Amino acid sequence: MIKWTDRRAQRVETPRLSTRGERQSTTKVDIAGFAPELLTYLGQAAYFQLGMFENIARAISIAPELDAKEALSAAAGRALAKHQGLVAEIRRRGGEPSEVMAPFAPGLDAFRHQTAGADWNELLLSCYLAGGLLDDFFIRLSDGLPGDVGPRVAHLLGQDAGTDVLITHLRAAIRSDAALGSHLALWGRRLVGDTLLVARSALPMETHTSDQSRIEPVFTEIIAAHTRRMDGLGLTA
Amino acid sequence: MIKWTDRRAQRVETPRLSTRGERQSTTKVDIAGFAPELLTYLGQAAYFQLGMFENIARAISIAPELDAKEALSAAAGRALAKHQGLVAEIRRRGGEPSEVMAPFAPGLDAFRHQTAGADWNELLLSCYLAGGLLDDFFIRLSDGLPGDVGPRVAHLLGQDAGTDVLITHLRAAIRSDAALGSHLALWGRRLVGDTLLVARSALPMETHTSDQSRIEPVFTEIIAAHTRRMDGLGLTA
């Protein structure tokens, strides 16, 4: 178990990290020093959203019920809109999206396979938890981006992900099957480790040891939000 | 081989069936008598677009190159927008989308599996040909819908499907490999048969034998458009 998961002991009732306004009420951390180069940030975030879209699309394909399939199509559209918004930012800066995303493809493809899950419930939980955590993280990291791109990206990523359908389904499944709840709690704990590694990899390589303690409150915040997602499903984080 | 494929002998240079304006210059057929019940039409068209979306999403997952993956994401967004537009029409009439689509799920799921193809090139060709043909067909059938829903649906389905990326890739692959061209021509001829059966199934059951000859010009038109798509790729229809 990696150490960040233990931060949940410090959990406080911070608001959900979905808008910049809300975030200002949480622990202040000067993220500017951790900001990666702009195209690097956009490339990684854009490829992550494309992977989220692929995962949701796979969930649509294996959905056991037509109403879940239909409801998931809205979530797929949201992930696609985030991807396309980030791609538009890359193009606006003269970048070629596939080139800018390419360095992140091997790592994020591996992450997606690791977290794809063995069945419908595991896949849904991955979409909800990994998507939620990394949306939060990329929003937080956008504070350090130059010019007006940060607020624009934060607004894009902070939009409703259309994941209510995931919550509704998972909550019902967990309530009716205690063994499933215990299994998914384990899956959620594994997911958070893999997902935080992706978040760490988005920080510039040259982040010094002294910076590590300054970045920790950001991780504390996003892990608190993750723990609330687990709690909301009735899972022990 | 089913008989409609032989209609290509009657092929004329009709414009592409992408807008209502253009269609008015083609053979006039009173389609009103063939119009299915509105929710039936919307349910089948909506579920077909969801399946198109799933096929394109699968193409994204197996794309050999990142630029193709990226370009296909736009096509996935278009199919999803068509699906969501049709679902909005169902809701506007008080229908529950999953209930309205349900009767078509078994048939269209089977169609999607039959036409999914064994590899990337076959899947791309399916997306392009089956999507193009059934968009044309549902646009044509929308003429018979009551009220103002027909023009609205025709506009929705007539929008650019974002399939230029499919054409670009397929054309390049076919030009550089004669054996692939011959293989895909065969696949295209199989696709058109399966796809026309779906189109036939969208006509009301009670369509009489005497009506069959009246509906034939519609099939002649959509097969002519299909043949132009094959020609455009360098494939013999």
Side-chain angles (χ1 to χ4, degrees), chain A residues 54 61 66 69-70 83, chain B residues 47 54 61 69-70 83 98:
Chain A
E54 288 182 60
S61 279
L66 194 48
K69 200 186 197 54
E70 168 50 30
H83 167 73
Chain B
Y47 197 77
E54 289 181 59
S61 280
K69 198 185 196 61
E70 168 52 30
H83 168 73
S98 58

Side-chain angles (χ1 to χ4, degrees), chain A residues 47 50 53-54 57 60-62 66-70 73-78 80 83-84 87 91 96-99 101-103 105 109 112, chain B residues 47 50 53-54 57 60-62 66-70 73-78 80 83-84 87 91 96-99 101-103 105 109 112:
Chain A
Y47 198 75
L50 186 57
F53 164 77
E54 288 182 60
I60 289 175
S61 279
I62 66 172
L66 194 48
D67 57 350
K69 200 186 197 54
E70 168 50 30
S73 73
R78 303 298 176 94
L80 199 55
H83 167 73
Q84 289 170 339
V87 160
R91 288 226 167 84
E96 178 51 48
S98 58
E99 284 170 24
M101 293 189 294
D109 285 349
R112 197 157 61 78
Chain B
Y47 197 77
L50 186 58
F53 164 77
E54 289 181 59
I60 289 174
S61 280
I62 64 172
L66 194 48
D67 57 350
K69 198 185 196 61
E70 168 52 30
S73 74
R78 303 300 177 92
L80 199 54
H83 168 73
Q84 289 169 340
V87 160
R91 288 224 167 86
E96 179 51 48
S98 58
E99 283 170 24
M101 293 189 295
D109 285 348
R112 198 157 61 77

Side-chain angles (χ1 to χ4, degrees), chain B residues 1-13:
Chain B
M1 185 60 71
I2 59 168
K3 70 175 186 136
W4 308 307
T5 54
D6 297 324
R7 298 282 159 164
R8 67 183 184 278
Q10 300 175 16
R11 182 178 152 214
V12 286
E13 285 306 311

